[in-house]
Amino acid sequence: MASFKQSLKKLGKNTQAVALRTTDRNLRLAVTGLAGAGKTAFITGLVNQLLHSGIAETGSQLPLWRVARDSRLYGVKRDLQPDLTIPSFNYDAAIQSLVNEPQTWPVSTRNISELRLAIKYRPAKGLLSKLTDSATLYLDIVDYPGEWLLDLPMLKQSFQQWSVSQSTRKQVFQRSKHFEAFSEAINSIDLTSAADELKLQEITDLYQRVLQDCVSNHGFYYAQPGRLLLPGELEGTPVLALFPLLNIDDSGFQSLELSIPNSFYHTLKQRYYEYVNRVVKPFYQDYFAKFDRQIVLVDCFTPLNRGREQFDDMKSALHAVIESFHFGQSSLLKRLFSPKIDKLLFAASKVDHVTRDQQGNVLSLLTQLIQQSQQFAKFEGCEVETMAISAIKSTSHGMVKQDGKEIEVVRGTELVNRQAVTLFPGEVPKSLPSADFWDKQGFEFINFAPTNQRNSRSSADFEHIRLDHVLQFLLGDKLK
């Protein structure tokens, strides 16, 4: 009897989910971006603005979000998330880090998480407007590390193909002080001999240090397997004891194929396929392929600071991510069984870190940066938009005199030493930087600490730049 009741309860939950999808009252929005793009801050700022929006609010900070501008938004509240197996996005902890002294940015994304909002509004068009005075759109916001997306191309690669692709990155790996030890460790073993678990883990640890060093200390982005950077729940599991074999040609791999079944080579090959089938593929099938809308946050400034190789690496990583998206227009029936991303937003984050006269340059640079990816998405039938935004402003703008001329500056608190600074960060290139840009570039991106930017006319905790544009593009068609 208890089993029968549990079955009915599960059926009821599934029926409710299907009903919401069928009536177009549920939208799954995925938020991602490469390391340092500001995913957690973006979600926190967006949710904060939404929770303080509605007809009763005065001085709305979302004037270009049509449902709010037309006074049809009754309000937004947090609701119980539908998937109890996904960790909840810790909104309250993120807010506390932003408002408590000393104010700090929320902890960066390290695992997948989810948050559901109920957006109650008055329909203005269509059949719904004739039948009811209020309707609710349930918005599921899913946050996940962009590093995990970098593994999706592995779905189409064999172990040999993956190893060859990683060999092309040897010049990047050699930047790391750990690469020599990693290379020597591989050379010290006979790949055709029986595998040793401790030795596999030892070499994996060295490879993990190489990846972490290249990303954290040398500013590169494209690192595989992504779970070696952010293991999540897989930390310490044998499936992550995995590394590529560099500088082996076709004949070398053919010889290794003849080795004993439990050799180092065949064990690594098996681990690779286990990783792809048990980690990468389930992530794609269980989460990624079920998103309706996607926002990709892009930090354009940090790679401009770091150099040409890092900037090009970011471009390659972004393109690899976009190629893995499941694009296409989704009918209501199709969304139940094979949903596709039908709207994609690329957003240059932290645009408050540059002067207002440079924000147009940021947008132009982003547009060119993702041009190839944008064309791919549009060809697949996806609506694509680019914006320059800041979910939580940490600076203010001003004018100062220099050499008898007035120049625009930004003012804020430097993140590390907590000193107040006033500066002109430099000119952002309007197009992809040419070779001479890297020789003479004078761009100086500074990491600013969050500050209290509360707008006295609104109860929202933070000021923003263009979040209303974001909401109109991503949700506007569902709130008519």
Side-chain angles (χ1 to χ4, degrees):
M1 187 68 179
S3 176
F4 178 71
K5 287 183 177 179
Q6 287 179 349
S7 298
L8 283 179
K9 187 176 181 181
K10 185 175 181 180
L11 178 62
K13 287 183 177 179
N14 290 338
T15 302
Q16 182 186 34
V18 169
L20 288 175
R21 301 288 289 179
T22 306
T23 56
D24 210 18
R25 291 193 292 122
N26 174 233
L27 194 70
R28 290 181 65 76
L29 170 64
V31 180
T32 195
L34 301 179
K39 297 177 287 294
T40 308
F42 169 81
I43 294 175
T44 304
L46 184 71
V47 172
N48 186 257
Q49 293 293 336
L50 286 171
L51 293 178
H52 292 90
S53 298
I55 293 176
E57 296 294 329
T58 59
S60 171
Q61 292 197 76
L62 303 170
L64 296 180
W65 190 25
R66 195 165 298 162
V67 68
R69 184 191 66 194
D70 296 345
S71 299
R72 294 190 295 108
L73 180 65
Y74 292 119
V76 181
K77 70 172 185 177
R78 293 161 71 181
D79 201 7
L80 296 176
Q81 69 184 62
D83 193 333
L84 303 184
T85 64
I86 299 180
S88 300
F89 180 83
N90 200 341
Y91 171 77
D92 296 310
I95 286 292
Q96 288 305 308
S97 68
L98 288 164
V99 299
N100 288 349
E101 295 291 343
Q103 293 165 311
T104 58
W105 293 109
V107 176
S108 61
T109 301
R110 302 197 64 81
N111 207 336
I112 192 166
S113 64
E114 185 178 47
L115 178 147
R116 168 169 278 195
L117 298 175
I119 304 174
K120 189 173 183 180
Y121 67 102
R122 175 170 54 83
K125 295 181 180 180
L127 181 62
L128 206 57
S129 65
K130 296 177 174 60
L131 297 176
T132 181
D133 290 331
S134 67
T136 302
L137 175 71
Y138 292 92
L139 176 65
D140 298 325
I141 302 176
V142 183
D143 177 30
Y144 64 96
E147 288 78 2
W148 292 4
L149 274 185
L150 294 176
D151 285 343
L152 294 182
M154 297 168 70
L155 290 168
K156 301 177 182 178
Q157 294 177 312
S158 66
F159 176 63
Q160 179 179 339
Q161 290 170 330
W162 178 64
S163 291
V164 171
S165 71
Q166 294 309 293
S167 295
T168 64
R169 298 188 59 76
K170 185 177 177 180
Q171 189 173 358
V172 171
F173 295 154
Q174 287 174 330
R175 295 283 194 95
S176 171
K177 61 183 179 182
H178 305 290
F179 178 75
E180 186 175 350
F182 166 64
S183 183
E184 289 177 354
I186 292 181
N187 293 334
S188 70
I189 61 173
D190 178 2
L191 292 171
T192 64
S193 65
D196 177 85
E197 186 68 48
L198 292 177
K199 193 66 176 177
L200 281 172
Q201 188 61 56
E202 175 190 326
I203 300 176
T204 298
D205 290 343
L206 290 170
Y207 179 60
Q208 183 181 40
R209 289 174 200 152
V210 170
L211 293 183
Q212 291 172 336
D213 193 31
C214 287
V215 171
S216 300
N217 298 322
H218 297 281
F220 290 93
Y221 296 87
Y222 210 149
Q224 292 176 333
R227 290 296 186 105
L228 280 184
L229 289 177
L230 296 173
E233 74 283 2
L234 296 174
E235 188 164 9
T237 58
V239 75
L240 291 188
L242 171 68
F243 51 86
L245 298 177
L246 308 180
N247 300 328
I248 298 179
D249 58 20
D250 289 344
S251 61
F253 277 108
Q254 289 174 8
S255 298
L256 290 171
E257 286 289 339
L258 301 175
S259 63
I260 58 177
N262 65 336
S263 67
F264 275 102
Y265 170 73
H266 281 295
T267 302
L268 280 172
K269 183 178 175 180
Q270 181 188 14
R271 293 272 172 93
Y272 175 81
Y273 289 117
E274 285 287 303
Y275 181 81
V276 169
N277 290 320
R278 292 180 177 269
V279 179
V280 183
K281 190 175 291 184
F283 168 68
Y284 184 87
Q285 293 174 337
D286 296 342
Y287 304 117
F288 184 72
K290 297 179 182 179
F291 299 145
D292 301 308
R293 306 276 161 91
Q294 173 78 57
I295 179 167
V296 179
L297 298 172
V298 181
D299 173 11
C300 294
F301 307 134
T302 303
L304 283 175
N305 263 356
R306 287 170 171 166
R308 182 175 187 172
E309 289 181 281
Q310 289 85 344
F311 188 89
D312 290 343
D313 195 56
M314 180 190 70
K315 182 181 177 183
S316 298
L318 283 173
H319 184 61
V321 164
I322 305 309
E323 280 188 324
S324 304
F325 283 173
H326 194 201
F327 293 112
Q329 296 294 325
S330 296
S331 66
L332 293 181
L333 186 61
K334 203 171 185 179
R335 288 178 66 207
L336 297 176
F337 306 106
S338 183
K340 294 182 178 180
I341 296 167
D342 58 8
K343 282 195 174 188
L344 170 64
L345 174 62
F346 291 97
S349 58
K350 310 177 187 178
V351 76
D352 62 310
H353 288 34
V354 297
T355 54
R356 285 171 295 192
D357 63 335
Q358 294 298 308
Q359 292 181 12
N361 289 14
V362 177
L363 183 60
S364 177
L365 176 62
L366 174 65
T367 301
Q368 292 203 26
L369 184 64
I370 53 90
Q371 186 176 20
Q372 186 179 1
S373 302
Q374 189 176 30
Q375 289 173 345
F376 170 79
K378 286 183 175 179
F379 181 80
E380 295 294 325
C382 180
E383 187 177 350
V384 184
E385 185 63 87
T386 56
M387 296 181 190
I389 70 167
S390 179
I392 299 175
K393 281 186 64 179
S394 59
T395 66
S396 59
H397 293 276
M399 303 294 294
V400 299
K401 278 192 174 183
Q402 185 175 24
D403 299 328
K405 296 180 180 179
E406 284 200 338
I407 62 169
E408 192 169 2
V409 295
V410 293
R411 296 187 176 98
T413 301
E414 206 274 331
L415 182 61
V416 177
N417 58 30
R418 296 285 166 166
Q419 297 294 314
V421 293
T422 298
L423 79 159
F424 173 68
E427 292 190 9
V428 180
K430 292 182 180 179
S431 57
L432 297 179
S434 57
D436 63 334
F437 170 84
W438 303 109
D439 295 331
K440 59 182 180 181
Q441 69 96 1
F443 189 77
E444 184 183 3
F445 170 77
I446 286 183
N447 287 315
F448 288 98
T451 55
N452 187 359
Q453 297 283 340
R454 182 187 293 272
N455 189 327
S456 60
R457 299 176 300 163
S458 169
S459 57
D461 292 297
F462 315 104
E463 291 185 17
H464 68 87
I465 298 175
R466 300 186 188 92
L467 280 187
D468 44 355
H469 288 249
V470 171
L471 288 166
Q472 182 58 33
F473 175 72
L474 293 174
L475 307 181
D477 60 322
K478 303 297 181 184
L479 299 170
K480 293 182 178 178

